[in-house]
Amino acid sequence: MHSFDVCECGAPLQRMERDTPEPKGAEVVLKVLAAGVCHSDLHTARNEWGATVYPAIPGHEIVGLVRHVRDAVTRVKAGDHVVCSFIPNCGTCRYCASGQQSICDMGATILDGKGALRWPNAGELVIVNYDVVSENDVAEIGPAPEGTDLAIDEGHVVKNARTNRAKAVRAVAKAVEQAAGRRWIVTATPICNRPMELKAVLDAVGAFGTAFSSYSAFSRAFGGAVRSPRAEPTDAAGPALARVSLRRLKADVAKDLPSKTIVRVPVQVDARSLALAAELETKIRPAVEAAEAQAARESLAAQESDAAALARRVAAISAAFGEAENIGEMSRFKRIISEAKVPHMLEMVEAREDAGLATVVATCHREVVAAACKRDGWSAIIGGVANDERTRIVDAFQGGAGHGVALTVRAGGVGITLTRADAMIFVDRDWNPAMNEQCEDRLHRIGQVQNVTIYVLDAGTWIEERVEELNRDKRRMIAATMASVTTEGGQVPEA
């Protein structure tokens, strides 16, 4: 038989001749009449996902003619025309019946409910939610079958190593390691605030020791301040991470993605809310400015580099704001200002509805979500919404139903696609810049065909300005940590 192969990255298709393998068990011999080459195939051919093994044959959406079947084959016979999927589907289970053949029970088994965890059978893909896995579950199901592989998506959820979720993930990964299986963890935000979060992510798949060899080496790579937001990566951090990491920017894997523009929208809030916010601001501002001044004096005395001085400043301001949060002043301020912006958010939403445009509203406050969802055609995604309901809301919205979705930044910032909308309105921003960016990516992701605009409502208060400045500084620090993580040839490292 012949095929058209990509023999190396960037090479054109080349016709190759090869022997036709003898079918076994329930396999068939198929004459390929046509094969669609989708963008996923192009990503693979160009090694834009970093895991291509050459030679590679693009094209996985196949129409063909059955030539020969083995005795164990019962559903098709020689002469049948067939359509092939890279994931098998039965056509009768609850997912196939609802048009979701890509997660058919035959090819991908989704485990629901406490106590549902089990290891996959040979050739089976098992998908399980973090919330239904515990250390006890892993112990009860026994050892993993030889060669079981593990892929952990949204890996930043394990950044706090002490949580039950992180402990459960480590237990699954350890069982897979003992079964000589491979382990991957995927995350857009390996560090949100401090390097210890990175250690927890690496520990989840047993990669920490390969990267840094010891805790002391890890600490030295970040200037001895791994528990502090002011940690500064040294020249040793990047090469250590490169031993176990493959970094891909959105621009690398989605080169055709439309643009994303962030627009700050000045809004004038009512006088009463502004007065209440100003009163709280007078309590918070002196402590923040004093902490910043003290950090500057310490940096000058220590003759620190610009990067180290920035890290010290970020830590000092974060601590001052954190203290205000602990006594409730920051929480009151954010709630007052966010609720005062609601009328402006609703004006923008109404104008977009009149223009026939779908919209997503993002906030840290449930009260703002509730205000948006008083409008007809709006749905809410907040903490506590069941997974099945989240899926129903997203599928309906993506299918064209309703005007918009209102969500809280952390509850709606992962695991969903809302590319029907071309705009997201942030009534307020999270303190963690990574959480905001994750939320923005519900719109600005593969599958989006429209330019995306992120509107950030800004009441012009001093605290809003300082928090936004703090988030910019945090992004710079995180970028400095990950900037030197490269993998020669674009291949995933072998740990």
Side-chain angles (χ1 to χ4, degrees):
M1 67 179 184
H2 66 267
S3 61
F4 290 90
D5 296 32
V6 178
C7 294
E8 60 183 25
C9 186
L13 291 172
Q14 180 178 346
R15 180 177 170 132
M16 305 287 287
E17 299 293 333
R18 60 187 74 227
D19 294 333
T20 302
E22 188 67 24
K24 303 174 183 177
E27 295 178 342
V28 305
V29 175
L30 182 70
K31 179 180 180 180
V32 177
L33 302 178
V37 177
C38 75
H39 215 97
S40 297
D41 294 304
L42 297 182
H43 285 311
T44 301
R46 298 166 181 164
N47 197 28
E48 291 173 344
W49 286 333
T52 302
V53 177
Y54 296 104
I57 306 174
H60 64 268
E61 298 162 337
I62 297 169
V63 175
L65 182 69
V66 177
R67 288 296 199 192
H68 177 64
V69 301
R70 299 288 293 181
D71 292 340
V73 177
T74 58
R75 295 180 62 196
V76 296
K77 63 183 183 300
D80 284 352
H81 286 81
V82 295
V83 176
C84 301
S85 168
F86 69 101
I87 293 180
N89 59 82
C90 65
T92 59
C93 72
R94 56 177 172 157
Y95 297 109
C96 288
S98 61
Q100 301 181 78
Q101 291 90 343
S102 61
I103 53 173
C104 169
D105 277 339
M106 179 179 175
T109 303
I110 299 179
L111 304 181
D112 294 319
K114 294 290 185 181
L117 183 66
R118 63 173 176 79
W119 297 115
N121 300 314
E124 182 186 26
L125 171 65
V126 164
I127 301 173
V128 61
N129 187 283
Y130 288 107
D131 295 330
V132 301
V133 182
S134 70
E135 280 188 284
N136 289 338
D137 292 332
V138 180
E140 289 175 2
I141 64 174
E146 189 74 12
T148 298
D149 292 334
L150 171 66
I152 304 167
D153 194 18
E154 304 290 359
H156 57 275
V157 303
V158 303
K159 62 186 176 65
N160 185 343
R162 295 187 297 273
T163 63
N164 290 333
R165 177 178 292 180
K167 292 175 182 177
V169 168
R170 290 198 298 272
V172 173
K174 185 65 176 178
V176 168
E177 178 186 12
Q178 292 171 345
R182 296 169 294 182
R183 293 147 291 146
W184 298 276
I185 188 165
V186 182
T187 176
T189 51
I191 299 177
C192 292
N193 285 297
R194 49 185 61 81
M196 281 300 291
E197 297 169 345
L198 175 63
K199 180 180 184 298
V201 170
L202 296 176
D203 273 337
V205 289
F208 177 77
T210 303
F212 291 99
S213 73
S214 68
Y215 182 85
S216 296
F218 172 63
S219 181
R220 289 194 299 273
F222 290 93
V226 292
R227 298 182 183 276
S228 170
R230 70 181 181 87
E232 178 188 1
T234 69
D235 292 341
L241 288 171
R243 298 185 189 114
V244 296
S245 306
L246 174 65
R247 187 183 186 216
R248 284 290 180 266
L249 301 177
K250 187 185 293 184
D252 297 327
V253 300
K255 295 180 180 178
D256 299 326
L257 198 63
S259 67
K260 180 179 77 172
T261 304
I262 298 179
V263 178
R264 302 198 70 78
V265 181
V267 299
Q268 185 173 356
V269 301
D270 65 275
R272 180 177 178 275
S273 296
L274 203 57
L276 289 171
E279 181 182 345
L280 290 169
E281 192 173 279
T282 59
K283 299 178 181 179
I284 298 170
R285 184 168 182 168
V288 172
E289 291 182 338
E292 184 177 19
Q294 179 64 25
R297 288 192 293 270
E298 291 173 356
S299 293
L300 183 63
Q303 297 183 322
E304 291 179 326
S305 66
D306 289 344
L310 171 65
R312 184 185 292 275
R313 174 175 169 273
V314 167
I317 295 173
S318 295
F321 275 133
E323 180 60 29
E325 184 81 45
N326 290 339
I327 61 178
E329 291 172 342
M330 275 299 296
S331 297
R332 286 186 62 207
F333 172 87
K334 290 187 288 185
R335 179 176 53 78
I336 289 169
I337 290 297
S338 296
E339 292 182 4
K341 295 177 187 176
V342 165
H344 303 276
M345 175 269 289
L346 293 176
E347 286 182 10
M348 295 179 68
V349 163
E350 183 173 355
R352 288 183 57 82
E353 286 181 11
D354 290 344
L357 301 173
T359 309
V360 175
V361 168
T363 176
C364 297
H365 302 277
R366 294 186 176 210
E367 295 84 356
V368 176
V369 171
C373 290
K374 288 179 181 178
R375 301 184 65 84
D376 291 338
W378 278 76
S379 299
I381 297 179
I382 59 177
V385 173
N387 289 331
D388 287 349
E389 178 64 5
R390 282 167 59 101
T391 300
R392 185 198 66 76
I393 290 170
V394 171
D395 288 349
F397 179 75
Q398 289 290 88
H403 299 300
V405 174
L407 50 82
T408 49
V409 173
R410 300 206 173 200
V414 295
I416 58 176
T417 295
L418 300 170
T419 49
R420 177 187 159 208
D422 69 341
M424 175 177 283
I425 301 172
F426 272 88
V427 178
D428 50 87
R429 301 281 257 178
D430 194 279
W431 279 60
N432 189 323
M435 296 297 102
N436 295 324
E437 291 169 4
Q438 285 274 87
C439 195
E440 293 167 13
D441 285 348
R442 301 313 96 203
L443 275 63
H444 195 242
R445 61 193 296 111
I446 292 174
Q448 180 60 270
V449 296
Q450 310 169 88
N451 291 331
V452 171
T453 303
I454 307 297
Y455 296 102
V456 181
L457 304 190
D458 184 359
T461 65
W462 177 84
I463 288 179
E464 286 178 290
E465 292 173 0
R466 295 310 304 269
V467 169
E468 188 62 27
E469 181 183 352
L470 186 63
N471 277 345
R472 286 196 298 269
D473 289 342
K474 286 181 178 179
R475 285 195 294 269
R476 288 168 56 191
M477 291 170 55
I478 293 168
T481 301
M482 303 305 298
S484 57
V485 177
T486 57
T487 304
E488 187 175 352
Q491 297 295 322
V492 178
E494 292 292 337

